[in-house]
Amino acid sequence: MKKVIIYSTRICPFCVRAKNFFNKKDIPYQDIMVDQDPEQLKIMMDKSQRQSVPQIFIGDYHVGGFDDLIEHDMDGKLDKLLEE
């Protein structure tokens, strides 16, 4: 399975939803809290060209935010993205 990274903050409800989504599907992820690390915020913005959270990456692929994640899942694209 490809590595999943979620850039998030402590107060973001969509971040919580994204993490709950991955937890329910037993998909491990790395949670990078950008509100606690300004350097990681800069990295997230450089990689995603966005300032909002969550920003979700599967391998090198930028999924986007929570709504994008759900759309990928509903379209059947998520499972393919997770495969190595």
Side-chain angles (χ1 to χ4, degrees):
M1 183 177 296
K2 288 184 185 167
K3 184 175 183 175
V4 176
I5 297 175
I6 304 174
Y7 291 91
S8 67
T9 65
R10 290 173 285 179
I11 61 171
C12 165
F14 291 103
C15 298
V16 172
R17 289 180 182 173
K19 293 174 204 177
N20 286 340
F21 174 86
F22 285 119
N23 288 336
K24 285 180 183 176
K25 290 191 169 271
D26 287 326
I27 298 170
Y29 59 88
Q30 178 184 0
D31 184 16
I32 299 175
M33 303 291 282
V34 298
D35 57 343
Q36 297 176 358
D37 189 340
E39 183 60 30
Q40 289 296 328
L41 176 60
K42 183 180 180 329
I43 291 168
M44 179 200 81
M45 290 179 1
D46 289 344
K47 286 174 66 174
S48 68
Q49 302 301 305
R50 297 184 187 177
Q51 296 178 357
S52 60
V53 288
Q55 291 303 317
I56 302 163
F57 289 84
I58 298 176
D60 292 331
Y61 180 79
H62 179 225
V63 174
F66 176 72
D67 291 340
D68 302 309
L69 173 65
I70 298 306
E71 186 175 320
H72 277 70
D73 186 46
M74 292 176 68
D75 290 346
K77 296 177 185 175
L78 185 63
D79 290 335
K80 291 179 184 175
L81 284 172
L82 289 165
E83 293 174 2
E84 294 237 33

